[in-house]
Amino acid sequence: MKRRINKWSEIDWITIVLYLLIVVLGWVSIYSAVYNEEHDKIFDLSQRYGKQMILIFGALVIALLVVVTDSRFYSSFAYVIYAIVILLLIVVLLIGKEIHGAKSWFEFGPLRLQPAEFAKVGTAMALARYVSSKSFNIKNSKNVFNVIVIILIPAIFIYVQPDTGSALVYFAFILVLYREGLSGGILLIGILMMILFVLTLIIDKMVIIIALMVVGYLVFLIIDRNIKRFLIAALIYIGLSGTFFGLKEFAGLGLSVYFILILSLIISGFIYSFFIYFYRIRKAVLIYMLMLGSIIFTFTVNYAFDNILKPYQQKRINILLGMDSDPYGSGYNVNQSIIAIGSGGFSGKGFLKGTQTKFEFVPEQSTDFIFCTVGEEWGFLGTSLIIILFTILLLRILVLAERQRSGFCRIFGYSVFAILLFHFVVNIGMTIGLLPVIGIPLPFMSYGGSSLWTFTILLFVFLRLDISRLEYLI
Amino acid sequence: MKNIYENRKYVFGALLFLVVFIFIGKLLSLQVLDKSYRSTANRNVLRYIIRYPARGLIYDRTGKLLVYNEAVYDLMVSPNLVEEFDTSVFCDILEITHKDVDKRLQNAKEYSYYTSSPFLKQVSSETYAVLQEKLYQFPGFFVQPRPIRKYNKNVAGHALGYVGEVDEYTIENNPFYKMGDYIGISGIEKAYEEVLRGEKGVNVYMVDVHNRIKGSYQDGKKDRSAIVGTNIISTLDIDLQEYGEKLMVNKIGSIVAIEPSTGEILALVSSPTYDPSSLLGRGRSKVFKTLSSDTLEPLFNRPLMATYPPGSTFKLVNGLIGLQEKVIFRQTEFYCYGGYNSGSKHVSCHYHETPLNLPEAIQNSCNAYFCNVFRRILDNPVYPSVREGYNSWRDHVLSFGFGQKLESDFSYKVKGFVPMTSYYDRYYGKTGWSSLTVLSLAIGQGELGITPLQMANMTATIANHGYYFAPHIVKGIGGETVIDERFYSKHITTIDSVYFPIIINGMDMAVNGPPGSGSTARIARINDITVCGKTGTAENPHGEDHSIFVAFAPKDNPKIALSVYVENGGFGATYAAPIASLMVEKYLKRKIIRQWLENYILETDLIHSEKEN
Ligand SMILES: [Zn+2]
């Protein structure tokens, strides 16, 4: 049963106002980024701001269409839409236009569309549909596996294009799963692994391993509160290490130092934890496993970094970690971006006065690095405003998502939140040098139709679903 | 239906705020706390094109233009903006090799990666015209115009000096100069650097990432136009200078001519000399090398830097001191039989009538006479010891400007040497020496070291009856004919002006005495000008003695005083006197009547004949 309501009085105008504000600020920034004296008419279609103007009108039309569509359409056709976007991702690999070495684009005359963007909509719908279904249980590993498949299929196709940045966005969906009951521990371990990953690349692995061992043993000592057993374990460890070293030195065994340290650790740790376990402190085993796992992870990361990552990826990570300081090497973009933002100062250089912007020192300034224009011309006041607007928008989406009575609507809302958050964090983090250069746009602001339309669709579908909570009593 | 995981929304909220907190913090530090990014951004965008001012022009005392400027172009490079370019086209235009390009780029990088420095200096206007059209193909390069010096006549190299690139030491110590700037290195160019250099201007442009100029920065508010250097009127008489250099061809030595009433230097000839224009332009360093390694030392500024014993010209000073100390009078006579003898000491003299009074002794340049005078000065019973007597003598000598730097406007000058008593004390002990020991000072030999400039100044002092103005080379700066105050202050000698006519009388007789009267410098005589002069011969332990002559003219109201040194020229009368006489004639009459005398000097070659020996 359906109630008749006035959509335009029930729709969440706060979100729409925030959306419009950000879109307009985005357009102003694009105007500034590509401005030159010869083309100063805002409707000049040969210029990006002219095109973006058209794209914005297009986005408003799409938003209108999305809102007038029946809300049941989205849940009913979730899998169909998902299938279509996957199909598009496959087709683009076959007949797509290759730009900058990636087959990511469909070209229709003057319009270029990037299916990787639209795939987010399909994936969010499919995810919402599947997770909200009555048979779904987050504790059921088969169900979790299916969810992962839904997320990974588009991610893998996009990765193959190759467009690593857009593929990474799909990891944002894990946040949605956390809201739906995924164990926090998994999330936490994921974060810990990230920290260890970074540390491994910065610090010598020997230092990390020794630090891990020391920490591990100290944790044992604290849990066990028995200095005698601790000393015995330490003695075993030292004895074993000594024996191995002796074998290496005198018997000519080709053992590496790492091997010796770790073998000794495994054996002594095993004996130690066995003792502790024997005295009924089960947690010790868990910590022992974690420590061992961390050490193995450290080696894996090192191996992966040296053997799996491509040189340009290694370089990007090195730059991020401050290990590559050549300002005219591959850190050029970030450097110029930081200079642009930093030189804006507190109140900026003024509209159209940004020299970094005007004289094209920052590459990709109207797309991925649009935040630079704001930083340079409007200063700290401008950047803070953008961050505050995004924060309010994200909080609003969070509030709206929580007020949904249907699982589908809530999960879709959280998907919008997660994707927006990911783009917001990664894009701005990249322009201010906190995160590596992953080429993903700033939602609603960066030049480009696919991104603008995708985020418009995501947002307005969610707003449409939000109204539906009054139409249907589920 | 309450979702059991609803509380997790707070985790999302917290996560969002954590991100916002980090972002705002980072932006605060980037944009508000760290002020360095603004200058980094400016470095990206702003291109400072230095506008070099034209250096001030230099005129001679008659208003003839001596030194002016011509535009050349420096090709500059900013290494950070250089991209791949077509090296062969580049090399063809500039006429340099690929290797050269690499080396110059490397040098520029070593100087500074971000700021521009000269890549190739002094590109001609023709090359510039070709280069200008193709410059867009070579990002990182730009052209900077710069004026360089030009000479109307290639004379007076030592007096005018030259300009060259500023050295590292100066750059470090004087913020006015930047690498590649030019600075006066010698002569007037150095002495009046601050007047001549003007003020550099700057045009600030904005360039885009491709190094294309996009317009003036802040509508040209930060631009400063160059201020042209101030013109200078030199005291030189360029015709006289040129004539002096001509006379000195193939001779080593110097001519210094001074206007006694002002101290203005009319001519400053150092021989051998060099062409000042050869020290400009791209061949400069090569020429400089050749000149520096020349054994005749053409770069050595002899009038200011060389010291010689003054020889008999010094008798003038000793005569004046004798008169002032009242140990002799005009009519005091001494006998001379082939020289002066006292104990083991013997100073020989040439043949002349005897006895002679003071003017006659100058006319004949009698050694014995001045040995007597000198001993009377030192052994004057007024003083308790010879050391006091010597000190009194020395004070008189110093008042003529000897043994000290004359306050001229040249930055290079030497003090010369007039020994103090301690000098002799060191050799002979405090009581171990007497007037006899230092007797060679009586006739200007021995330890005395005097520069040609000091000698000309002495002559001017005598012409002025006892005072001089510090000799200087510049008489007007800008439109003003006023120069530093120190050139207007009279330096008065310790000798009473009443004694000077006696000595001048002797100098007159030395030149104009009747034939057979023993005049030593009759060759310097000019028919209708009373030239007063004195010959001298500086003993040279390394070869032929140096020929010296000092003179001023006319006798009444003197217009020119000069000293002429001809190294290895023998007696003063041989070469130095005729040269001085010709200089006087040239200056006072503007033309030479005595062609035979001129030819005699022009044909004299003391350099090559000496080498042949
Ligand atoms: Zn004699």
Side-chain angles (χ1 to χ4, degrees):
Chain A
M1 69 179 171
K2 184 176 176 184
R3 283 193 290 166
R4 287 201 64 78
I5 51 151
N6 184 347
K7 283 173 190 154
W8 298 111
S9 62
E10 295 302 330
I11 200 161
D12 190 61
W13 282 101
I14 296 174
T15 308
I16 294 177
V17 167
L18 288 167
Y19 164 81
L20 290 173
L21 267 175
I22 297 173
V23 166
V24 168
L25 286 173
W27 183 83
V28 169
S29 302
I30 292 168
Y31 181 80
S32 187
V34 297
Y35 172 84
N36 61 48
E37 271 88 3
E38 292 138 45
H39 304 275
D40 54 351
K41 301 220 166 42
I42 57 171
F43 287 110
D44 189 332
L45 290 185
S46 69
Q47 299 297 307
R48 284 191 161 180
Y49 45 81
K51 290 180 188 160
Q52 185 74 359
M53 188 70 102
I54 305 294
L55 293 172
I56 290 170
F57 283 120
L60 296 179
V61 171
I62 290 169
L64 194 69
L65 291 175
V66 164
V67 174
V68 297
T69 307
D70 192 303
S71 64
R72 278 176 304 186
F73 168 81
Y74 302 112
S75 52
S76 310
F77 286 85
Y79 291 139
V80 177
I81 295 168
Y82 180 73
I84 291 170
V85 296
I86 298 298
L87 194 67
L88 286 175
L89 285 175
I90 294 166
V91 172
V92 82
L93 285 175
L94 303 173
I95 63 160
K97 179 151 175 84
E98 189 170 321
I99 294 169
H100 299 308
K103 269 196 165 182
S104 314
W105 308 82
F106 285 124
E107 203 166 38
F108 307 104
L111 195 62
R112 262 192 215 153
L113 291 177
Q114 208 180 354
E117 289 295 326
F118 296 101
K120 288 168 190 163
V121 180
T123 311
M125 284 175 179
L127 183 79
R129 172 79 184 272
Y130 183 73
V131 175
S132 64
S133 66
K134 296 217 159 49
S135 57
F136 179 82
N137 183 357
I138 196 98
K139 302 272 188 280
N140 181 327
S141 57
K142 193 166 168 264
N143 288 349
V144 172
F145 178 78
N146 288 341
V147 169
I148 289 170
V149 168
I150 290 173
I151 297 170
L152 277 186
I153 288 173
I156 287 165
F157 280 122
I158 295 166
Y159 182 76
V160 173
Q161 288 179 351
D163 182 355
T164 320
S166 300
L168 279 174
V169 175
Y170 287 78
F171 285 97
F173 286 112
I174 293 170
L175 285 177
V176 181
L177 297 181
Y178 172 69
R179 169 63 183 82
E180 295 307 313
L182 187 73
S183 162
I186 295 173
L187 214 60
L188 212 62
I189 286 172
I191 291 166
L192 281 176
M193 287 294 155
M194 286 291 280
I195 293 169
L196 200 58
F197 174 82
V198 171
L199 284 178
T200 307
L201 294 179
I202 298 176
I203 306 166
D204 189 61
K205 65 182 166 197
M206 179 70 93
V207 176
I208 294 180
I209 290 166
I210 291 170
L212 281 170
M213 289 174 186
V214 172
V215 170
Y217 271 99
L218 286 177
V219 172
F220 276 155
L221 180 65
I222 291 161
I223 294 169
D224 190 20
R225 293 173 197 283
N226 187 324
I227 197 97
K228 206 164 84 188
R229 276 198 293 273
F230 173 75
L231 284 177
I232 291 166
L235 272 174
I236 293 168
Y237 179 64
I238 292 165
L240 277 170
S241 305
T243 312
F244 284 127
F245 268 115
L247 283 173
K248 175 184 152 78
E249 287 298 313
F250 301 110
L253 282 176
L255 302 171
S256 88
V257 179
Y258 292 113
F259 183 80
I260 293 168
L261 287 177
I262 288 159
L263 198 65
S264 312
L265 180 77
I266 291 168
I267 297 168
S268 67
F270 182 76
I271 297 165
Y272 189 27
S273 52
F274 178 78
F275 267 122
I276 297 172
Y277 184 72
F278 191 73
Y279 291 101
R280 292 168 193 280
I281 307 167
R282 288 168 197 240
K283 266 187 189 163
V285 181
L286 192 69
I287 289 164
Y288 174 68
M289 297 310 284
L290 255 179
M291 185 176 77
L292 211 57
S294 300
I295 289 168
I296 291 162
F297 180 75
T298 303
F299 278 94
T300 316
V301 167
N302 257 303
Y303 177 82
F305 186 81
D306 293 336
N307 299 289
I308 295 174
L309 287 185
K310 299 187 178 82
Y312 78 91
Q313 290 168 320
Q314 293 179 2
K315 197 143 196 187
R316 280 181 176 178
I317 290 168
N318 279 339
I319 291 158
L320 175 74
L321 302 177
M323 286 154 64
D324 187 321
S325 57
D326 174 15
Y328 286 88
S330 27
Y332 179 80
N333 289 17
V334 188
N335 242 300
Q336 292 296 350
S337 163
I338 291 173
I339 291 169
I341 294 172
S343 67
F346 182 72
S347 55
K349 297 174 184 171
F351 183 50
L352 302 181
K353 299 265 169 60
T355 54
Q356 291 281 104
T357 299
K358 207 156 59 164
F359 302 129
E360 301 160 38
F361 283 90
V362 187
E364 308 292 336
Q365 188 147 8
S366 58
T367 56
D368 296 346
F369 284 91
I370 193 70
F371 192 66
C372 291
T373 312
V374 179
E376 189 179 19
E377 300 196 339
W378 306 107
F380 180 66
L381 294 178
T383 52
S384 308
L385 175 70
I386 297 295
I387 286 170
I388 288 164
L389 286 177
F390 268 104
T391 309
I392 299 172
L393 179 66
L394 284 162
L395 281 176
R396 187 67 195 161
I397 293 169
L398 209 56
V399 168
L400 296 188
E402 282 299 336
R403 79 180 181 190
Q404 300 307 314
R405 281 172 294 185
S406 101
F408 178 81
C409 295
R410 182 183 63 243
I411 294 162
F412 189 82
Y414 263 94
S415 297
V416 175
F417 173 83
I419 294 169
L420 263 179
L421 181 70
F422 188 89
H423 272 262
F424 169 70
V425 170
V426 171
N427 181 281
I428 293 180
M430 151 183 100
T431 56
I432 60 180
L434 288 173
L435 291 172
V437 177
I438 294 166
I440 60 171
L442 186 59
F444 311 121
M445 292 190 71
S446 289
Y447 169 79
S450 306
S451 153
L452 176 64
W453 289 358
T454 299
F455 282 110
T456 303
I457 293 168
L458 280 171
L459 194 65
F460 280 85
V461 166
F462 177 56
L463 290 182
R464 178 67 190 86
L465 293 174
D466 177 53
I467 307 167
S468 73
R469 116 199 97 92
L470 304 170
E471 291 174 329
Y472 303 97
L473 296 169
I474 300 166
Chain B
M1 181 175 96
K2 185 90 177 166
N3 190 311
I4 50 161
Y5 299 115
E6 199 189 321
N7 280 339
R8 288 193 172 178
K9 68 185 177 193
Y10 297 114
V11 175
F12 289 92
L15 192 65
L16 181 59
F17 277 107
L18 181 69
V19 167
V20 169
F21 183 75
I22 292 170
F23 278 4
I24 297 282
K26 176 74 179 178
L27 285 166
L28 197 67
S29 105
L30 268 182
Q31 301 190 286
V32 183
L33 303 179
D34 191 335
K35 308 279 184 206
S36 72
Y37 290 102
R38 170 103 12 167
S39 59
T40 316
N42 281 344
R43 222 165 34 218
N44 265 340
V45 164
L46 300 185
R47 197 66 66 246
Y48 294 84
I49 306 277
I50 302 293
R51 296 296 170 204
Y52 288 97
R55 248 178 120 75
L57 308 177
I58 304 178
Y59 296 91
D60 92 334
R61 64 188 296 114
T62 61
K64 291 196 181 95
L65 182 60
L66 304 181
V67 190
Y68 60 103
N69 306 292
E70 195 184 71
V72 292
Y73 302 87
D74 286 354
L75 181 61
M76 311 291 287
V77 64
S78 295
N80 60 323
L81 302 170
V82 173
E83 290 166 19
E84 290 281 308
F85 60 92
D86 188 341
T87 326
S88 14
V89 175
F90 193 69
C91 290
D92 283 350
I93 298 173
L94 297 174
E95 293 166 1
I96 52 174
T97 63
H98 289 243
K99 222 178 183 176
D100 228 11
V101 173
D102 293 342
K103 212 179 97 191
R104 284 165 189 276
L105 267 179
Q106 193 53 40
N107 287 347
K109 271 180 201 159
E110 274 162 24
Y111 172 68
S112 168
Y113 192 71
Y114 295 97
T115 58
S116 57
S117 57
F119 177 81
L120 186 64
K121 284 177 209 140
Q122 306 196 357
V123 176
S124 69
S125 357
E126 295 80 36
T127 311
Y128 170 66
V130 182
L131 183 64
Q132 181 70 348
E133 281 175 26
K134 306 246 168 104
L135 204 58
Y136 72 94
Q137 298 177 4
F138 313 119
F141 290 92
F142 64 97
V143 168
Q144 188 155 288
R146 169 205 295 279
I148 59 157
R149 286 310 225 186
K150 277 278 170 184
Y151 297 88
N152 255 336
K153 283 183 173 171
N154 293 325
V155 294
H158 288 103
L160 298 172
Y162 61 96
V163 294
E165 236 171 79
V166 68
D167 58 21
E168 265 170 44
Y169 178 81
T170 314
I171 295 170
E172 270 167 35
N173 289 285
N174 191 333
F176 184 88
Y177 299 100
K178 300 277 172 293
M179 181 176 154
D181 281 1
Y182 282 59
I183 189 171
I185 292 189
S186 68
I188 293 178
E189 298 278 17
K190 183 186 168 86
Y192 288 88
E193 165 68 13
E194 282 172 27
V195 176
L196 290 168
R197 69 186 181 190
E199 224 171 276
K200 277 184 287 189
V202 66
N203 282 31
V204 190
Y205 293 111
M206 293 186 292
V207 296
D208 68 5
V209 70
H210 307 295
N211 202 26
R212 289 180 299 226
I213 287 185
K214 289 297 194 178
S216 273
Y217 178 58
Q218 293 189 357
D219 301 321
K221 261 181 237 155
K222 294 280 159 96
D223 290 3
R224 250 183 307 116
S225 37
I227 299 171
V228 176
T230 311
N231 296 345
I232 273 183
I233 302 163
S234 153
T235 61
L236 290 177
D237 180 319
I238 203 64
D239 294 336
L240 185 67
Q241 173 77 27
E242 194 177 15
Y243 188 62
E245 288 187 18
K246 194 169 131 194
L247 294 176
M248 289 299 286
V249 167
N250 289 330
K251 299 160 200 77
I252 303 169
S254 57
I255 304 174
V256 182
I258 295 175
E259 183 176 71
S261 60
T262 56
E264 291 171 7
I265 296 171
L266 303 170
L268 190 80
V269 179
S270 182
S271 185
T273 186
Y274 62 92
D275 174 358
S277 61
S278 69
L279 285 180
L280 299 168
R282 278 162 74 181
R284 195 193 93 83
S285 53
K286 217 169 127 189
V287 175
F288 192 84
K289 227 175 183 173
T290 320
L291 288 173
S292 335
S293 57
D294 192 329
T295 51
L296 298 176
E297 299 179 280
L299 290 175
F300 185 49
N301 195 341
R302 291 183 162 78
L304 271 53
M305 308 289 284
T307 58
Y308 309 87
S312 300
T313 56
F314 203 66
K315 288 170 183 165
L316 304 171
V317 175
N318 277 337
L320 286 165
I321 297 170
L323 289 167
Q324 178 69 29
E325 291 288 309
K326 296 191 166 57
V327 293
I328 53 164
F329 304 94
R330 188 187 191 284
Q331 295 307 335
T332 307
E333 291 185 340
F334 291 104
Y335 285 95
C336 170
Y337 301 107
Y340 179 82
N341 292 294
S342 178
S344 59
K345 207 85 179 182
H346 171 73
V347 177
S348 61
C349 191
H350 57 92
Y351 170 77
H352 56 79
E353 285 181 25
T354 193
L356 299 173
N357 63 22
L358 180 54
E360 289 164 348
I362 289 170
Q363 179 190 14
N364 285 280
S365 196
C366 175
N367 285 344
Y369 191 97
F370 288 96
C371 287
N372 282 303
V373 174
F374 184 67
R375 291 203 66 189
R376 282 199 185 181
I377 297 167
L378 263 61
D379 299 332
N380 191 347
V382 172
Y383 302 109
S385 75
V386 66
R387 299 175 83 251
E388 273 79 7
Y390 182 87
N391 277 334
S392 152
W393 172 82
R394 188 171 182 273
D395 288 344
H396 288 304
V397 170
L398 294 190
S399 77
F400 282 83
F402 296 128
Q404 55 183 299
K405 287 181 183 173
L406 290 170
E407 290 174 350
S408 80
D409 39 11
F410 290 110
S411 29
Y412 292 119
K413 54 209 160 189
V414 295
K415 283 166 80 169
F417 186 60
V418 180
M420 293 203 284
T421 49
S422 57
Y423 178 86
Y424 296 110
D425 291 347
R426 220 172 24 248
Y427 281 94
Y428 306 108
K430 278 201 173 182
T431 52
W433 59 279
S434 68
S435 58
L436 209 53
T437 322
V438 297
L439 194 60
S440 56
L441 297 177
I443 55 167
Q445 306 294 357
E447 296 81 6
L448 287 172
I450 285 167
T451 65
L453 180 71
Q454 286 173 327
M455 197 56 105
N457 185 55
M458 174 202 80
T459 316
T461 310
I462 294 170
N464 284 340
H465 292 208
Y467 64 86
Y468 68 90
F469 295 100
H472 51 278
I473 192 92
V474 163
K475 64 179 292 180
I477 294 169
E480 309 292 312
T481 47
V482 181
I483 45 170
D484 198 298
E485 235 170 70
R486 71 179 196 269
F487 299 122
Y488 299 120
S489 79
K490 252 185 200 178
H491 296 261
I492 300 167
T493 60
T494 50
I495 312 295
D496 207 292
S497 64
V498 298
Y499 298 120
F500 283 89
I502 301 167
I503 297 296
I504 291 170
N505 195 19
M507 292 171 78
D508 180 0
M509 284 155 63
V511 178
N512 302 305
S517 65
S519 302
T520 46
R522 275 189 57 81
I523 195 168
R525 205 179 111 81
I526 305 172
N527 269 339
D528 45 5
I529 301 169
T530 316
V531 176
C532 302
K534 178 76 196 78
T535 55
T537 306
E539 279 175 0
N540 176 14
H542 310 293
E544 186 79 17
D545 289 345
H546 304 318
S547 173
I548 307 175
F549 192 70
V550 300
F552 66 86
K555 185 180 179 186
D556 300 315
N557 194 12
K559 295 280 181 234
I560 180 170
L562 49 121
S563 74
V564 177
Y565 281 68
V566 180
E567 289 188 18
N568 313 318
F571 291 116
T574 325
Y575 300 116
I579 289 172
S581 177
L582 287 167
M583 289 292 282
V584 170
E585 187 178 6
K586 177 75 182 175
Y587 185 64
L588 294 179
K589 303 184 108 177
R590 309 309 294 183
K591 64 171 193 259
I592 302 300
I593 296 166
R594 297 169 293 166
Q595 281 299 326
W596 59 273
L597 188 64
E598 189 183 72
N599 289 339
Y600 157 63
I601 292 300
L602 293 180
E603 282 159 18
T604 302
D605 185 344
L606 295 175
I607 294 178
H608 303 95
S609 61
E610 183 203 19
K611 275 187 179 168
E612 277 156 30
N613 289 345

